[in-house]
Amino acid sequence: MDAGKILVAESQGIYIIKFVGDVRLNLCTTLDQYTDDMFEANTFKTVIIDLTETQCIDSTSLGQLAKISILYKERFDQVPTIISTNEDINRILTSMGFDKVFYIVRELVSRVEYLDEVELPTQSVNESEMKQRVLEAHKLLMSLNENNRAAFQNLVNSLEDQ
């Protein structure tokens, strides 16, 4: 499996976030900072999440995507778009309730190309900061639906007790 990376592009207020390979916890701090910066930008109009080259995605990364959806809904009273052509990833998205908080495009007519695509650097964080990121991401997932609440309640309780 390919090591994960996050590529980003922006043009005229349209932001693209592309997950490539095996996207895991180690990329979440970078994504969280990028998300905050994106929503603070005066030019921000929309965001598209491209998962067409995602091989695997962990629950913390999904929590970061949930954060994007929640912030987008608060700002525009709409849901953002995810492009995902991988049936395994689509099953994960549906099981987490993402079909209720994102518009999911499952088929592409042509390959998607982005101008000036840049890879977000991986930021190192200490154990305490990482625990906070994991806790926040899973609380966001839990807020999406009761199935997620049941699935992640023990993990959240455990992290809060530490």
Side-chain angles (χ1 to χ4, degrees):
M1 192 163 300
D2 295 335
K5 61 184 174 181
I6 299 174
L7 306 175
V8 295
E10 184 273 332
S11 178
Q12 300 176 354
I14 301 168
Y15 287 74
I16 309 295
I17 301 173
K18 182 174 185 170
F19 287 13
V20 178
D22 185 13
V23 180
R24 301 229 169 242
L25 169 67
N26 62 314
L27 298 171
C28 287
T29 299
T30 303
L31 178 59
D32 192 45
Q33 183 60 55
Y34 184 81
T35 298
D36 291 344
D37 293 345
M38 177 178 69
F39 277 95
E40 290 173 9
N42 292 334
T43 59
F44 177 71
K45 293 179 184 171
T46 193
V47 61
I48 299 170
I49 311 297
D50 182 346
L51 303 181
T52 58
E53 295 183 35
T54 306
Q55 295 172 333
C56 186
I57 185 169
D58 72 357
S59 57
T60 305
S61 300
L62 288 168
Q64 291 296 316
L65 293 181
K67 176 181 178 178
I68 290 171
S69 178
I70 291 166
L71 292 173
Y72 193 85
K73 177 78 170 161
E74 288 173 357
R75 180 179 264 182
F76 299 109
D77 198 29
Q78 298 177 4
V79 296
T81 299
I82 286 181
I83 303 170
S84 176
T85 55
N86 180 324
E87 283 307 311
D88 292 334
I89 298 296
N90 291 341
R91 273 191 292 279
I92 292 169
L93 295 175
T94 301
S95 73
M96 290 287 143
F98 275 49
D99 55 329
K100 306 286 190 269
V101 297
F102 282 96
Y103 176 71
I104 301 175
V105 176
R106 291 181 164 87
E107 295 180 19
L108 291 179
V109 175
S110 63
R111 180 162 166 71
V112 180
E113 298 290 335
Y114 309 113
L115 299 175
D116 300 326
E117 200 170 63
V118 175
E119 182 175 350
L120 290 179
T122 303
Q123 296 177 355
S124 60
V125 295
N126 65 39
E127 185 177 335
S128 175
E129 290 172 315
M130 189 60 69
K131 184 179 101 174
Q132 277 307 116
R133 299 272 187 231
V134 172
L135 184 60
E136 177 186 342
H138 287 83
K139 282 183 173 181
L140 288 166
L141 285 174
M142 288 172 61
S143 74
L144 297 181
N145 62 49
E146 285 304 314
N147 288 338
N148 291 355
R149 180 173 302 287
F152 297 116
Q153 188 65 60
N154 289 340
L155 173 63
V156 167
N157 290 344
S158 176
L159 289 170
E160 289 178 333
D161 290 342
Q162 291 180 0

